[in-house]
Amino acid sequence: MDLSFSAEDIAFRDDVRAFLRDELPAELAAKVRHHKLLDKADYERWHAMLQARSWLAGTWPKAFGGAEWNAVQRHIFEEECAMANAPRIIPFGLNMLAPVLMAFGSKEQQDYYLPRILDGSDWWCQGYSEPEAGSDLASLRTTAVREGDHYIVNGQKTWTTLGQFANKIFCLVRTDASVKPQAGISFLLIDMDTPGIDIRPIVLIDGTPEVNEIFFTDVKVPAENLVGAENQGWTMAKYLLTHERTNIAGVGFAAAGLAELKRIAATERSGGRPLAENPHFAARMARVEMDLMAMATTNMRVVAAAAAGAAPGVESSMLKVKGTLIRQAINDLTRRAVGPWAMAFPSEAVEGSNLPHPGPDYAASAAPVYLNYRKISIYGGSNEIQRGIIAKTMLGL
Amino acid sequence: MDLSFSAEDIAFRDDVRAFLRDELPAELAAKVRHHKLLDKADYERWHAMLQARSWLAGTWPKAFGGAEWNAVQRHIFEEECAMANAPRIIPFGLNMLAPVLMAFGSKEQQDYYLPRILDGSDWWCQGYSEPEAGSDLASLRTTAVREGDHYIVNGQKTWTTLGQFANKIFCLVRTDASVKPQAGISFLLIDMDTPGIDIRPIVLIDGTPEVNEIFFTDVKVPAENLVGAENQGWTMAKYLLTHERTNIAGVGFAAAGLAELKRIAATERSGGRPLAENPHFAARMARVEMDLMAMATTNMRVVAAAAAGAAPGVESSMLKVKGTLIRQAINDLTRRAVGPWAMAFPSEAVEGSNLPHPGPDYAASAAPVYLNYRKISIYGGSNEIQRGIIAKTMLGL
Amino acid sequence: MDFSLTEERRMLADSLRGTLKRGADWAQLSDLGVQGALFTEAEGGFGGSGFDIAVVFEELGRAGSTEPVLEAGLAGGLLADCGEAALVEAVIDGSLRPVFAHDEPGNRYDTDLRCTATDGRLSGAKTVVIGAEGAGLLVVSARSSGGLSLFAVDPGAEGVSLRSVPSLSGGYASEITFDKAPARLIGPEGGAQPLIDQRIAAATLALCADALGAMETVREMTLDYLRTRKQFGRPIGSFQALQHRMADVVIEIEQARSAVINLAGHLHAAPAVRDRHVSATKNVVGRTASLVAEESIQLHGGIAMTEDYALAPFARRLIAVDHRFGDEDWHMERFIALGASA
Amino acid sequence: MDFSLTEERRMLADSLRGTLKRGADWAQLSDLGVQGALFTEAEGGFGGSGFDIAVVFEELGRAGSTEPVLEAGLAGGLLADCGEAALVEAVIDGSLRPVFAHDEPGNRYDTDLRCTATDGRLSGAKTVVIGAEGAGLLVVSARSSGGLSLFAVDPGAEGVSLRSVPSLSGGYASEITFDKAPARLIGPEGGAQPLIDQRIAAATLALCADALGAMETVREMTLDYLRTRKQFGRPIGSFQALQHRMADVVIEIEQARSAVINLAGHLHAAPAVRDRHVSATKNVVGRTASLVAEESIQLHGGIAMTEDYALAPFARRLIAVDHRFGDEDWHMERFIALGASA
C-alpha cells in the first residue's frame, strides 16, 4: 500500500496547478465559485485555453489528438480543476459522443466530427431522456423511420442540458418497434438547424434555464448520420454508461464546496461567535468532512484499479450514491450557514428576476444551488437505480 | 381542541398514581428500572395486587369481570405504570387470548378460562410464529389432524415469550392444507403438560432466557379446545392484531427510559462536566425528547379517536414504527451514556455468567437492553411489514 | 381531551379551503375573516387562540398562498398589544396591511438590535423583511432611551427606503433603511420585548401550521405521482423501496401535525413552557419540512426539478421554514437551555 | 499510488485467515507471527507499519477471534518504547502476554489519571482492562514525581487484585486495584505521554481494522441470509426495500475500509496529523459498525436475536467498537479541535 502519488503524477499535478494559477481567468473562477450562470462564450473560452495546452481531450487516445491520460492523471486534472473553481468541461461532445464515435463510428465520422469537437466548431447536446423514459430509458419512443437515404425522426427529448448552446445533438431513437425495447434502438447524429426541430427551455426549481425539451416533427436526417449499425444503439449507450463515467464521486467539487462552506461558517456569526465555532454546526461540518476523507480514498482506490487496467464495476454505483449524498450534504449545510439570507431569492424562477441579492457575496447562490443540486441524485441513473445495481450484484438474485 | 384530560380522567390518573406510589413494591420497581430479570413469582405477585384492585382486567367488559376502561383510561393506566417502573402485565392471557375467547369462544370456554386468567391459575403463552413463518405468518406448518374427539398436533413453534412459566399455550395450527394458506388455519388451546410437548429455551443476544422453542410430537388435544370453528383461526389472529394492539407506541416506556437516561447523563462526567452538558450529547437527547413530545400527541390523537369509537387504522402501523425507533434511540443513547462501562457484560450469553457488574448501578443493563430491544422493530409485525401496510393504505395500489 | 376542531373552526377551514382553491387575494381573504380569526374578541376579532391560528395557516399553506397574512397578523398583534384599536380594526377588515420590521443585517437568528429612535426619529437597517413590499404601515423595533420599544413608521415617509427582491417562499423580502425617519412610539416605552416574544411565538406557530398544510399538499402530489407515473411497465409506487420511503415521510408528517398541536395548545402558557414548545415544534417541523421537500423531489424524479410542475413552489416554501424565526439548531439549543433551567 | 497489499502481507493474511478458520489459539497465532507483524525489525519483529497492523486485525476481526492480540500488542509496543528488548522478544515469540492497564474508573474516555507510584510502590485503580485475565505482565500508567510514567507490575504480586467479568466483545474485562504493589519504572520517568499517544493510535487502528473484518463477515452472513431465507414464497433478498438498505450498508462498509486505509497510511505522521486521522477514522468506523450491527439484525429478523446464530458475537463486537478508545462524539470533538488549531 502506498497512499502517495508517484513522482510523475506529482509533476503532472504541479503542471496542472501552475496552469490553473497562471491561466484560469479570475473572473471565470469567481463566477464558478459563486455559482453564477456561465454563458456560451465563457465555456468556449475555457475549452480553447485547454485545447491550446492540449488538455481538452486529456482522455482521448493520442491517435485522435488526445493526451491519453491514465485514470490517475485524469483524476488529478479533474480534482485540481474543481478545487480551483475552473469552469466544467462540457462533456457531451468530448466525453460522451467522442468515445462512441471512436469505438463504433465510421472512419468518415471520426475524421469529420472529432476535430470539430476539439476546435469548438460543434457544441453537442445529448438526446437520451424522454418524458416517459427516465429511469426506464429503454422505453423511449422517439422514432426514426428509414426513407431512402434519410431517416425521418419524430418524437420528443427532454432534460437536454445546455441544448440552447448546441448546434448538434446525438440521439437514441427507435428504429424497430417490433422487437424487445432494447433491441430496436439506434444512435443518430442530428443537426440542430434541420427543419422540424423545436427547442423549448425548461426552467428549473432554482430558476436556472439549464435544460430543454426538444421536439422533432418529421425531421429529415441523412442516413450516413447513423453511428454503427441500425438497432445497435443500446449497446453504445451502455458502453458509455459503464466505460466513460467520469468523476462520478465528485470529490473535487465536494472539496471546493466544503472549502467555501468553511469560509462562510467562519464569517457568519451566531450567538456572538463565528458560526464555525457553534458546536452543532461544527459537528455537522466535521461529519461531512470525515465522510469526504473516506470517500476520497474510496475514489482513489477505484482510480488506482482503473489505472491498473481493472474494469469499473459496482464501485461506480457506490461512488455515485455516496458522492451525491456528500455533495448534497455540503449544499445543505451551505444553505443553513447563510441563515436568513436564504430567504432572499432573486431568481428567474419567481417574477422580479435578477435584482441583486442583499446579503454578502456568498449568500445569493446558497439556496438556489441547494435546490438545483437535488438533481445529482436523480440524473445519470438515480440513486435508487444505483442501489438496485449494487444489491443485484451482491445478491446475485 | 382540548389537550387536557377531563376531570374524570384526571381523578382516575390520580387514583392510579396513588396506588403505584403506595402499593408498588419498591424492590419490584428497582428490578424493572434496572432491567433485571423478573421471575414468575414477581409477575404473579403484581398481577394479584392489580386483581385485588380490580385493575388487572381493566379493558375487559364488566360482564366478564373487567373494569371496562375506555381507550383514554387504558392509556393513562399503561403510561403511569410504565413511568413508575411497574412490572409489565403479561399480555398473553389477559389481552390476547381473552378478547378472542370473548368474541369467538364458547360459553363453556369463557366460563372456564377467563376466571383462571384473572386468579392466576393459568399462565398462557402464544404459539404463533414458526421457524419458517415469521413475517409470513400464514405459511405456518404445525398441523392438527382430527382423530375422533381429539386433534393430533405435530410441528414446532418458536419465539414463545416466557413459555417456561406457562401451563397453557394457544396455537395457530394448520387444519386444512388443501386450501390457500390463510383459509386452513385453526385456533387451538393446549395444555403444556400434555405428553409430546418439548420446550427448549432460546438464549438471546443479551443472554436473556426470554423466549423458547416448543416442539409438538403427536400431541393429543381434546377437540373441545378448538376456539370458534375449524379453519377460522386466521380471522381470530387478525382480529387480535387489529383490535387489541395495546400500548403500541410505548410512550410510557419511552418516557421512563428517557428519565433514566437523563439521570445517567447528569451523573456521568465527560471533559470535566456532566455528560448532559456536553453539547453533542445534549443535542442527541434533545432530538429524541422533541420527537417523543410529538409522538406522545400522535398517540393521544389515536387514543382519543378510539375512545370516541373510531376503529384503529393505519395509525397503529405509524405508531409501531415511530414508537420503536424512538425507544431504540433512547436505548442507544443509554448505551452511549455509560461509555466504557458497556464493555463489562456480565451476561449468561457469554461464559462466566452472573458476576456483578463493576460500574454504577445504572451501567449493567445499558448494553444488554440496547441489544435486547432491537427485537421491538422485528416482532409483532416488523417495521418493514408496517411500512408496507402504510404505503398500501396510502397508495391504494 | 378532544383533538377535533370546533364547529366554527371547521367551517372557517372549509370555506377558506374552497376560496383558496379558486386563488383568493388579500381582499377576499379579509372578507372571509382570515385576519379576524387571528385576534381575540377583546381585540376586535373572533379567535386568537393557538388553534385558531393553526387552522387558518394550515389552509394557507395547503393552498400555497403567498399573501402576507402571517406578517400582517404579527404586526397587527403588536398593534393590538400597544392599544392601537383603530389600526387593529383596519387590519381585521383588510383595509390596512402592516408589517413588523425587526431582524437586522448580520444578526442571523439572534436579535441584538442596533436600530435607534430618538426624539421621534428612527435610524438603522432592517433585513429580509417578508411582506414589506406594498405594506401600509411599518411596525419597527428599535432602542430608545427606555429600552426596546415599538414604533409606527409610514413606509412612504422621508428617510425610509426599501429595496425588495423575490423571497424563497413566494412574495418579496425587503431591505429597509431608516435615516432619521419620523417614527411614532406605540405601546410602553422600553416594554416591547415580552410583547415581541409572545407575538413571534404566535408567528412561529403560524409558520409551522403553514408548513404542515404545505406538507399535506406535497404528500398528496407525491402519492398521486407514485400512483400514476409508470416506469418499467408499472406504477413507480409499486416499487417497495419507494413505498417504504413514502411511508416514512407520511409518519413524519403526522409527527409534524402533533408538534403543531402541541404548540397551539401551549401558545398562551407561561413563557418558559411556551418557548420550550415553540422550540420543540419549530425544530421538529423544520426537520420534517426539509425531509418532505427532499424526499418528494427524489420520489418524483426529474419532473420535480422543474418550475412548471406544481411541486416547485411548495418545496421552496418548505425549505424556507428553516430560515425564519430560528433554524433547527438554534431552536434545539434553546430547547436544551430551557430544559436545563427548568 | 498503490492500494494493493505487498506479497508478504497478502501471504500473512492468507495464512492467518486459513488458520483462524480452524479456530487458532494464542500459541498458534504466535507461531504464525501475528505478534511479530506488529513490531518493526528494530524492535525484533518484521512489520510494525500501519498496513501491517491493518492486515492482521482485519483477519482477527473477520474470524471473530477473542484472543487478546490487540492488548498484547499495545502493551508490547510500550515495552519496546521503553527499551525492554527481552520482554518484547517474549511477546513476539508468544511466551509472554502483557496488558496495558491505563483507564481509570469514572474517567469515561478522558485520561485524568489518579494512580500514583512512589518508591517503587503503585497504588490506585484501573478499570475495564480488556485481556488482563491471565496476562503475564501488567504495564501500568501512573503519576510519579517526574510526571506520567510507565511501570511493570507482576499481576501475581502482593497488593494487586483483579476482578474479571465477561466483555461485550468477547474475552474478559477486569477491574484492577493496586495497593502499594511493587512496580518497576520502565522507560523515561515522566515521559510516558507521547509513547502512550502513539501506541493508543496504533491500537485504535487495530480496533478499526478488526471492526472492518467483522463487518465483512456480517455482510457475507447477511447476504447469504437474504439469498436463502424465504418468506411469502421468495427469498427475502428479492424485496426491493431490503435490497436498497443492504446496498447502503455495503456502501458504508467501503467507507469504513477507506477510513482504515487513511489511518494506516498516517499512523506515523506528525502527532496532529496522525490524531486527526485517528479521530476521523474512529468516528467513521464507529458509526458504520453500529449501522452494520443494527441493520444486519433488522435485515435478518428474529434469528439474529439469538445466541445460537453466529451473528450475535459479531454484532456485540461491532457495538463494542464505540466503547473503547473514545466514542463517536469524543473523536468528533477532537477532530474539530485539531482542525481549528490546524
Side-chain angles (χ1 to χ4, degrees):
Chain A
M1 291 255 190
D2 181 4
L3 303 193
S4 334
F5 287 121
S6 70
E8 292 86 344
D9 291 336
I10 289 174
F12 175 66
R13 190 187 62 187
D14 292 344
D15 275 358
V16 175
R17 282 189 186 168
F19 172 78
L20 289 165
R21 188 188 57 227
D22 300 339
E23 306 284 338
L24 172 61
E27 65 274 21
L28 278 188
K31 268 186 159 181
V32 171
R33 180 172 149 204
H34 293 129
H35 298 276
K36 296 220 189 326
L37 279 187
L38 272 64
D39 57 30
K40 189 174 181 181
D42 290 331
Y43 288 113
E44 288 179 332
R45 178 180 177 197
W46 182 238
H47 279 203
M49 292 175 72
L50 290 175
Q51 177 60 7
R53 186 69 177 78
S54 301
W55 283 349
L56 182 62
T59 59
W60 289 18
K62 289 189 173 147
F64 291 110
E68 212 165 302
W69 289 334
N70 67 16
V72 174
Q73 291 167 313
R74 175 183 192 160
H75 167 81
I76 287 171
F77 179 77
E78 287 169 347
E79 188 151 302
E80 294 298 328
C81 285
M83 288 193 296
N85 290 305
R88 71 187 184 114
I89 294 178
I90 303 301
F92 307 109
L94 277 159
N95 298 320
M96 301 178 81
L97 175 61
V100 167
L101 289 180
M102 293 174 200
F104 301 95
S106 66
K107 179 80 171 51
E108 292 70 26
Q109 287 171 335
Q110 292 170 352
D111 289 347
Y112 179 74
Y113 289 113
L114 294 178
R116 293 173 59 84
I117 291 173
L118 292 184
D119 69 15
S121 304
D122 289 335
W123 182 303
W124 286 92
C125 63
Q126 183 192 34
Y128 274 26
S129 294
E130 300 183 6
E132 301 300 319
S135 287
D136 181 13
L137 183 59
S139 69
L140 62 89
R141 295 179 188 175
T142 296
T143 56
V145 178
R146 180 74 181 250
E147 289 190 5
D149 56 357
H150 281 78
Y151 286 97
I152 306 300
V153 177
N154 279 285
Q156 180 191 351
K157 294 292 176 181
T158 191
W159 308 128
T160 314
T161 301
L162 299 185
Q164 68 267 39
F165 298 158
N167 65 323
K168 304 271 187 193
I169 182 168
F170 56 91
C171 286
L172 293 179
V173 292
R174 185 158 304 287
T175 37
D176 188 346
S178 69
V179 291
K180 70 167 188 160
Q182 288 83 351
I185 293 170
S186 297
F187 196 107
L188 209 54
L189 310 178
I190 306 180
D191 198 309
M192 290 288 282
D193 294 332
T194 322
I197 295 183
D198 184 20
I199 178 165
R200 298 181 203 162
I202 299 173
V203 176
L204 291 185
I205 189 169
D206 63 320
T208 322
E210 181 177 277
V211 290
N212 301 270
E213 295 178 294
I214 302 186
F215 298 85
F216 298 85
T217 311
D218 294 332
V219 174
K220 234 175 129 179
V221 180
E224 70 251 32
N225 284 16
L226 180 74
V227 181
E230 204 171 81
N231 299 326
Q232 201 190 358
W234 191 250
T235 308
M236 291 178 242
K238 275 203 307 182
Y239 171 82
L240 250 190
L241 279 173
T242 51
H243 288 269
E244 289 301 319
R245 278 166 124 178
T246 157
N247 195 12
I248 197 161
V251 172
F253 294 121
L258 183 61
E260 177 71 6
L261 169 63
K262 285 180 171 181
R263 277 193 292 270
I264 296 173
T267 308
E268 284 282 316
R269 296 185 75 79
S270 173
R273 291 180 307 173
L275 179 61
E277 293 175 18
N278 175 288
H280 307 296
F281 202 82
R284 289 180 186 272
M285 291 199 298
R287 265 190 219 108
V288 79
E289 182 167 6
M290 296 186 285
D291 284 347
L292 178 56
M293 286 164 70
M295 192 190 61
T297 294
T298 308
N299 191 48
M300 289 307 300
R301 286 160 52 203
V302 175
V303 166
V314 71
E315 296 81 8
S316 298
S317 295
M318 296 194 195
L319 287 172
K320 169 71 162 41
V321 174
K322 195 68 191 176
T324 54
L325 292 179
I326 287 177
R327 287 171 67 191
Q328 289 178 333
I330 292 169
N331 294 336
D332 174 67
L333 292 188
T334 305
R335 156 177 89 72
R336 291 169 190 265
V338 303
W341 294 121
M343 289 303 294
F345 192 73
S347 156
E348 293 181 15
V350 282
E351 57 176 315
S353 83
N354 280 329
L355 295 163
H357 190 279
D361 61 359
Y362 54 73
S365 62
V369 167
Y370 161 82
L371 289 164
N372 184 279
Y373 278 68
R374 302 312 305 172
K375 74 188 174 191
I376 64 177
S377 52
I378 295 172
Y379 69 23
S382 72
N383 282 7
E384 289 68 41
I385 295 286
Q386 305 302 336
R387 289 193 184 95
I389 292 171
I390 294 166
K392 280 179 182 112
T393 308
M394 295 282 154
L395 286 164
L397 283 174
Chain B
M1 292 254 188
D2 180 3
L3 301 194
S4 334
F5 286 122
S6 70
E8 293 86 343
D9 291 336
I10 289 174
F12 176 66
R13 189 187 64 188
D14 292 345
D15 275 359
V16 174
R17 282 190 186 169
F19 173 77
L20 290 165
R21 186 187 60 228
D22 299 340
E23 305 284 338
L24 172 61
E27 66 275 20
L28 279 187
K31 269 185 156 180
V32 171
R33 180 173 148 200
H34 293 128
H35 298 277
K36 295 220 192 324
L37 278 187
L38 272 64
D39 57 29
K40 187 173 181 180
D42 290 330
Y43 288 114
E44 289 180 331
R45 180 182 176 195
W46 182 238
H47 279 202
M49 291 175 73
L50 290 175
Q51 176 60 8
R53 187 69 178 77
S54 300
W55 284 349
L56 182 62
T59 58
W60 289 18
K62 288 187 174 149
F64 290 110
E68 212 165 300
W69 289 335
N70 66 18
V72 175
Q73 292 167 313
R74 177 182 191 162
H75 168 80
I76 288 171
F77 179 77
E78 287 169 348
E79 188 151 302
E80 294 297 329
C81 284
M83 288 195 294
N85 291 303
R88 70 187 186 115
I89 293 178
I90 302 301
F92 308 109
L94 277 159
N95 299 320
M96 301 179 83
L97 176 60
V100 167
L101 288 180
M102 292 174 201
F104 301 95
S106 66
K107 179 79 170 53
E108 290 70 25
Q109 287 171 334
Q110 292 171 351
D111 288 347
Y112 179 74
Y113 288 113
L114 294 178
R116 292 173 59 86
I117 292 173
L118 292 184
D119 70 14
S121 303
D122 289 336
W123 182 303
W124 285 91
C125 64
Q126 183 191 34
Y128 274 26
S129 294
E130 299 183 8
E132 301 300 320
S135 287
D136 182 12
L137 182 59
S139 70
L140 62 89
R141 295 177 187 178
T142 297
T143 55
V145 178
R146 182 73 181 252
E147 289 192 4
D149 56 0
H150 282 78
Y151 287 97
I152 306 300
V153 176
N154 279 286
Q156 182 192 350
K157 294 293 177 180
T158 191
W159 309 126
T160 315
T161 302
L162 299 185
Q164 68 268 37
F165 297 159
N167 64 323
K168 305 271 186 191
I169 182 169
F170 57 91
C171 285
L172 293 179
V173 291
R174 185 158 306 286
T175 38
D176 188 346
S178 68
V179 291
K180 70 168 189 160
Q182 288 83 349
I185 293 170
S186 298
F187 195 106
L188 209 54
L189 310 177
I190 306 180
D191 197 309
M192 291 287 282
D193 293 334
T194 323
I197 295 182
D198 185 20
I199 178 165
R200 297 181 204 162
I202 298 173
V203 177
L204 292 186
I205 189 169
D206 63 321
T208 320
E210 182 177 276
V211 291
N212 300 271
E213 297 179 293
I214 302 186
F215 298 85
F216 298 84
T217 312
D218 295 332
V219 175
K220 235 176 127 177
V221 179
E224 70 250 31
N225 284 15
L226 180 74
V227 180
E230 205 171 79
N231 298 326
Q232 201 190 357
W234 191 250
T235 308
M236 290 177 243
K238 277 204 305 183
Y239 172 82
L240 251 188
L241 279 173
T242 52
H243 288 268
E244 290 300 319
R245 278 165 125 177
T246 156
N247 197 12
I248 199 163
V251 171
F253 293 122
L258 182 62
E260 177 70 6
L261 170 63
K262 285 182 169 180
R263 278 192 292 271
I264 295 172
T267 308
E268 283 283 315
R269 295 185 73 80
S270 174
R273 289 179 308 172
L275 179 61
E277 292 175 18
N278 176 288
H280 307 297
F281 202 82
R284 290 181 186 271
M285 291 201 298
R287 264 189 220 109
V288 79
E289 182 167 5
M290 295 187 286
D291 284 346
L292 178 57
M293 286 164 70
M295 190 190 62
T297 294
T298 309
N299 191 48
M300 288 308 300
R301 285 160 54 203
V302 175
V303 166
V314 71
E315 296 82 7
S316 298
S317 294
M318 297 194 194
L319 287 172
K320 169 70 162 45
V321 174
K322 195 69 191 174
T324 54
L325 292 178
I326 287 177
R327 287 170 68 191
Q328 289 177 334
I330 292 169
N331 294 335
D332 175 67
L333 292 189
T334 305
R335 156 177 91 71
R336 290 170 191 265
V338 304
W341 293 121
M343 289 302 294
F345 192 72
S347 157
E348 292 181 15
V350 282
E351 57 175 315
S353 84
N354 280 326
L355 294 165
H357 190 281
D361 59 0
Y362 54 72
S365 61
V369 166
Y370 161 82
L371 290 163
N372 184 279
Y373 278 69
R374 302 314 304 175
K375 72 187 176 192
I376 65 177
S377 51
I378 296 172
Y379 69 23
S382 73
N383 282 8
E384 289 69 41
I385 295 286
Q386 306 303 335
R387 288 193 184 94
I389 292 171
I390 294 166
K392 282 183 180 110
T393 307
M394 295 282 154
L395 286 164
L397 286 174
Chain C
M1 214 178 51
D2 181 6
F3 289 89
S4 54
L5 292 180
T6 58
E7 191 53 30
E8 293 76 18
R9 290 195 193 112
R10 193 191 315 278
M11 282 174 59
L12 177 62
D14 288 348
S15 66
L16 249 178
R17 194 178 302 192
T19 308
L20 283 163
K21 260 190 193 152
R22 298 186 295 274
D25 65 9
W26 183 259
Q28 288 167 307
L29 290 175
S30 301
D31 290 349
L32 267 174
V34 159
Q35 291 290 352
L38 307 182
F39 293 87
T40 63
E41 288 187 27
E43 292 163 349
F46 56 86
S49 80
F51 293 111
D52 294 309
I53 293 169
V55 163
V56 165
F57 284 94
E58 184 178 336
E59 294 309 323
L60 292 167
R62 189 191 312 279
S65 168
T66 55
E67 295 295 332
V69 179
L70 186 155
E71 292 71 19
L74 169 53
L78 290 168
L79 290 172
D81 295 339
C82 294
E84 301 282 337
L87 292 175
V88 173
E89 196 185 325
V91 172
I92 291 174
D93 73 21
S95 57
L96 175 68
R97 191 167 69 65
V99 73
F100 180 39
H102 184 47
D103 294 330
E104 300 186 5
N107 271 356
R108 207 175 162 75
Y109 302 114
D110 304 322
T111 43
D112 178 22
L113 301 186
R114 280 155 286 140
C115 278
T116 53
T118 322
D119 299 332
R121 297 279 169 174
L122 198 149
S123 292
K126 297 291 183 179
T127 191
V128 200
V129 184
I130 307 295
E133 180 76 24
L137 178 71
L138 305 178
V139 176
V140 187
S141 55
R143 307 215 162 270
S144 66
S145 56
L148 189 66
S149 307
L150 293 170
F151 296 86
V153 178
D154 177 353
E158 202 184 348
V160 179
S161 73
L162 189 143
R163 190 166 71 79
S164 302
V165 297
S167 134
L168 183 60
S169 56
Y172 290 85
S174 302
E175 303 299 292
I176 314 178
T177 55
F178 302 93
D179 182 10
K180 298 190 185 135
R184 177 171 68 86
L185 174 73
I186 55 173
E189 169 129 30
Q193 194 64 61
L195 311 181
I196 293 172
D197 290 346
Q198 180 66 41
R199 293 295 174 176
I200 292 276
T204 307
L205 168 61
L207 182 64
C208 290
D210 181 296
L212 177 63
M215 287 186 237
E216 296 267 356
T217 297
V218 168
R219 180 183 65 185
E220 292 313 310
M221 225 179 259
T222 309
L223 286 169
D224 275 348
Y225 196 75
L226 289 172
R227 275 184 215 113
T228 51
R229 166 76 170 175
K230 286 189 178 151
Q231 290 282 273
F232 305 102
R234 40 194 270 219
I236 59 173
S238 69
F239 288 95
Q240 195 193 35
L242 305 194
Q243 288 182 347
H244 283 208
R245 283 168 66 175
M246 190 66 202
D248 283 333
V249 167
V250 166
I251 290 170
E252 294 306 322
I253 294 175
E254 287 308 310
Q255 285 281 97
R257 176 169 292 284
S258 293
V260 168
I261 290 171
N262 282 347
L263 176 51
H266 293 91
L267 182 61
H268 294 100
V273 174
R274 175 198 70 199
D275 287 345
R276 210 170 128 80
H277 279 282
V278 168
S279 285
T281 296
K282 186 64 165 58
N283 176 282
V284 168
V285 172
R287 264 192 276 155
T288 312
S290 300
L291 174 85
V292 171
E294 293 181 0
E295 284 292 83
S296 65
I297 291 172
Q298 188 70 25
L299 289 166
H300 272 86
I303 184 85
M305 293 296 303
T306 67
E307 190 60 25
D308 278 354
Y309 188 72
L311 182 63
F314 284 97
R316 287 195 296 266
R317 189 184 195 99
L318 288 177
I319 293 306
V321 171
D322 206 36
H323 292 275
R324 294 190 78 182
F325 306 131
D327 71 2
E328 229 185 279
D329 286 352
W330 192 89
H331 279 288
M332 188 182 65
E333 287 191 312
R334 195 168 73 145
F335 180 85
I336 293 168
L338 288 167
S341 68
Chain D
M1 215 179 46
D2 180 7
F3 290 88
S4 54
L5 291 180
T6 59
E7 190 54 29
E8 294 76 18
R9 290 195 192 114
R10 194 192 312 277
M11 281 175 59
L12 177 62
D14 288 349
S15 67
L16 248 178
R17 196 179 300 193
T19 307
L20 283 163
K21 262 191 191 152
R22 299 186 294 274
D25 65 10
W26 184 260
Q28 288 167 304
L29 290 175
S30 301
D31 290 350
L32 267 174
V34 159
Q35 291 290 351
L38 309 182
F39 293 87
T40 64
E41 288 188 27
E43 292 162 348
F46 56 87
S49 80
F51 294 112
D52 294 310
I53 293 169
V55 163
V56 165
F57 284 94
E58 184 178 336
E59 295 308 326
L60 292 167
R62 190 192 311 278
S65 168
T66 56
E67 294 296 333
V69 179
L70 184 155
E71 291 72 20
L74 169 55
L78 290 167
L79 291 171
D81 296 339
C82 295
E84 301 283 339
L87 292 174
V88 173
E89 196 186 324
V91 172
I92 291 174
D93 72 21
S95 58
L96 175 67
R97 190 166 69 66
V99 73
F100 180 38
H102 185 47
D103 295 330
E104 301 187 4
N107 271 357
R108 206 175 163 76
Y109 302 113
D110 303 323
T111 45
D112 177 23
L113 300 185
R114 280 154 287 139
C115 276
T116 53
T118 323
D119 299 335
R121 297 280 169 174
L122 197 149
S123 291
K126 296 290 182 181
T127 192
V128 199
V129 184
I130 307 295
E133 181 75 23
L137 178 70
L138 305 178
V139 176
V140 187
S141 55
R143 309 215 161 269
S144 67
S145 57
L148 189 65
S149 308
L150 293 171
F151 296 86
V153 178
D154 177 353
E158 202 184 348
V160 179
S161 72
L162 189 145
R163 190 166 72 78
S164 302
V165 297
S167 133
L168 183 59
S169 56
Y172 291 85
S174 302
E175 303 300 292
I176 314 178
T177 56
F178 301 94
D179 182 12
K180 297 189 185 135
R184 177 170 70 86
L185 175 73
I186 56 174
E189 169 131 31
Q193 194 64 59
L195 311 181
I196 294 173
D197 290 347
Q198 180 66 42
R199 293 296 174 175
I200 292 275
T204 306
L205 168 61
L207 182 65
C208 290
D210 181 296
L212 177 63
M215 287 186 237
E216 296 267 356
T217 296
V218 168
R219 180 182 64 186
E220 292 313 310
M221 224 179 260
T222 308
L223 286 169
D224 275 347
Y225 197 76
L226 289 172
R227 277 182 213 113
T228 52
R229 167 74 171 176
K230 287 190 177 148
Q231 291 280 274
F232 304 102
R234 41 195 268 218
I236 58 173
S238 69
F239 288 96
Q240 195 194 35
L242 305 194
Q243 289 182 346
H244 283 209
R245 283 168 67 175
M246 190 66 203
D248 282 333
V249 167
V250 167
I251 290 170
E252 295 305 323
I253 293 175
E254 288 308 310
Q255 285 280 98
R257 176 169 294 283
S258 292
V260 167
I261 290 171
N262 283 347
L263 177 51
H266 293 90
L267 182 61
H268 294 99
V273 175
R274 174 197 70 199
D275 287 345
R276 212 171 126 79
H277 280 282
V278 168
S279 284
T281 296
K282 185 66 165 58
N283 176 282
V284 167
V285 172
R287 263 192 278 155
T288 312
S290 300
L291 175 85
V292 171
E294 293 181 359
E295 284 292 84
S296 65
I297 291 173
Q298 188 70 25
L299 289 166
H300 272 86
I303 185 84
M305 293 297 302
T306 68
E307 191 60 25
D308 277 355
Y309 187 72
L311 181 64
F314 284 97
R316 287 194 296 266
R317 191 184 194 98
L318 288 177
I319 294 306
V321 170
D322 205 36
H323 292 275
R324 293 191 78 181
F325 306 131
D327 69 3
E328 229 184 278
D329 285 352
W330 193 89
H331 280 287
M332 187 182 65
E333 287 191 313
R334 196 169 72 146
F335 180 86
I336 292 168
L338 288 166
S341 69

